C-alpha cells in the first residue's frame, strides 16, 4: 500500500468518524437531559466566576474537562462580545440562561473532536504495536462504533480520558521499543492528564510497569533498578496530576466528599456490582453493544491471532479484571476495556487478508 493511498484511507476513516459524531449533535437542546453535562458546565462557570482553577467538584474528577469547557465558554463570550451580541458578562450569562445551547453545543463539538482524535490515536497505537493494515481496521471499527459515537456526542469525561490514555500507551510502546527519558516523561504526562480526567484511567500505568519489569526479566536491568523506575514513574505521574489539578489537595475536603458520593455501591443510582456482575455487564455493554456480534467475534479471533504471533494479551486481560474489580464501587469504567479491544478486530481482519 503506497504512502499516498494510506493517507487517503486514514483521512477517509477520520472523515467518517467526524461525520457520525457531528450528526444531530444538537439533539435535545436547549433542554438539558443529561445531568452530567450541566454538572460539568457548572464547574466551568465556577472556574470563570472565581478566577481560580477550582471547579468545586472532583467526582470523576473531570478537572481537565471543566478546564476545556471554561476555555470554550470564554471563547464563545469573546466572540459574542467582539461581534456585539453580548455587551457584558452579565448579558452573556442571561443569554446562556435563556438558551444553554450557546455553551453546551460548542462543548459537545469539542467532545466530538476528542472522539475523532481517539480514532486517530487508536490507529497510531495499532500501527506501533502491529502494522498499518491492522491500524486501519481498528480505526474503522472505532469510527463507526455506536457506543463510541454516542459518548462523543455529549459532554462527558470518558472520551477525553480515552484520548489521553491512548497517547500514554503510544509513548509506553515507544519506550518499550527504544527506552528514553523523554518517552518515559511523556507517558507520565499523558497518564496524569487521563487520571485528572477520570480516576479509573490510572489503569494506564500497568503497561509501563510491565515494560519496566520486563527489562529486569530480560536481564537488561537489575530488579532494584526496575523497581526504582516504577517508583519514579508513579511519583512523576502523581506530581504532574497535582500540578494539573492542584485543588485535589487544596480542596481535599470537597474531594473526599465527592469520592464518597461516587463510591456508593448500594443505592438506586449505583452502576457497579460484584466482579462477576461487572464482567457480565462489560460483555453485554461496551463489548457486545459497542462492537456488535460480528465485531465481538472478530475481536476474539484477533486476540487469538495476536497471541499466536507472539504478542502478549495478558495486559489487556489484566486491565479487564481490574476494571471489573473497580466497578464494585459506584461506577464501571468503559473505555479501558472497550478501546483495548479495538485493535483485535483489526488484527483479525489482517489475518483474514493474509489467509486469502
Amino acid at each position: 500500500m503506497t504512502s499516498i493511498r494510506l493517507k487517503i484511507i486514514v483521512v477517509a476513516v477520520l472523515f467518517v468518524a467526524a461525520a457520525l459524531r457531528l450528526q444531530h449533535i444538537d439533539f435535545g437542546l436547549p433542554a438539558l437531559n443529561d445531568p452530567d453535562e450541566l454538572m460539568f458546565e457548572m464547574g466551568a462557570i465556577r472556574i470563570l466566576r472565581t478566577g481560580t482553577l477550582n471547579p468545586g467538584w472532583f467526582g470523576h474528577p473531570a478537572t481537565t474537562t471543566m478546564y476545556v469547557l471554561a476555555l470554550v465558554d470564554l471563547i464563545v463570550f469573546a466572540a459574542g462580545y467582539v461581534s456585539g451580541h453580548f455587551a457584558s458578562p452579565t448579558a452573556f450569562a442571561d443569554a446562556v440562561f435563556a438558551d444553554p445551547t450557546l455553551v453546551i453545543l460548542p462543548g459537545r463539538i469539542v467532545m466530538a473532536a476528542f472522539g475523532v482524535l481517539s480514532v486517530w490515536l487508536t490507529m497510531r497505537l495499532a500501527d506501533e504495536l502491529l502494522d498499518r493494515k491492522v491500524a486501519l481496521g481498528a480505526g474503522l471499527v472505532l469510527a463507526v462504533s455506536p457506543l463510541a459515537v454516542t459518548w462523543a456526542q455529549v459532554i462527558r469525561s470518558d472520551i477525553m480520558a480515552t484520548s489521553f490514555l491512548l497517547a500514554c500507551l503510544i509513548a509506553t510502546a515507544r519506550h518499550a521499543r527504544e527506552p528514553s527519558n523523554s518517552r518515559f516523561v511523556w507517558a507520565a504526562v499523558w497518564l496524569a492528564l487521563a487520571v485528572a480526567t477520570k480516576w479509573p484511567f490510572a489503569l494506564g500505568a500497568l503497561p509501563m510497569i510491565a515494560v519496566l519489569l520486563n527489562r529486569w526479566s530480560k536481564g537488561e536491568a537489575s530488579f532494584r533498578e526496575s523497581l526504582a523506575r516504577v517508583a519514579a514513574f508513579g511519583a512523576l505521574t502523581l506530581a504532574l496530576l497535582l500540578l494539573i489539578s492542584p485543588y485535589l489537595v487544596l480542596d481535599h475536603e470537597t474531594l473526599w466528599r465527592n469520592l464518597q458520593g461516587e463510591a456508593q455501591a448500594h443505592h438506586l443510582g449505583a452502576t457497579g456490582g460484584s466482579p462477576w456482575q461487572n464482567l457480565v455487564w462489560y460483555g453485554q455493554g461496551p463489548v457486545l453493544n459497542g462492537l456488535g456480534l460480528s465485531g465481538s467475534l472478530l475481536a476474539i479471533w484477533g486476540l487469538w491471532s495476536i497471541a499466536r504471533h507472539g504478542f502478549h494479551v495478558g495486559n489487556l486481560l489484566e486491565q479487564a479484571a481490574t476494571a471489573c474489580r473497580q466497578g464494585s464501587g459506584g461506577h464501571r469504567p468503559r473505555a479501558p476495556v472497550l478501546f483495548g479491544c479495538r485493535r483485535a478486530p483489526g488484527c483479525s481482519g489482517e489475518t483474514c487478508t493474509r489467509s486469502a
Side-chain angles (χ1 to χ4, degrees), residues 42-52 54-55 70:
M42 291 301 295
I45 292 174
R46 190 178 294 110
I47 290 173
L48 294 176
R49 188 181 69 244
T50 61
T52 70
N54 186 6

Side-chain angles (χ1 to χ4, degrees), residues 64 187-197 236-242 244:
T64 57
V189 169
W190 295 122
L191 179 59
L193 284 167
V195 177
T197 309
L236 180 59
T237 301
L238 180 59
L240 289 168
L241 172 62
L242 296 180
I244 295 165

Side-chain angles (χ1 to χ4, degrees), residues 304-323:
W304 174 78
S305 300
I306 292 172
R308 192 181 62 153
H309 284 85
F311 292 94
H312 297 288
V313 298
N315 186 255
L316 175 60
L317 298 178
E318 184 179 0
Q319 288 189 22
T322 306

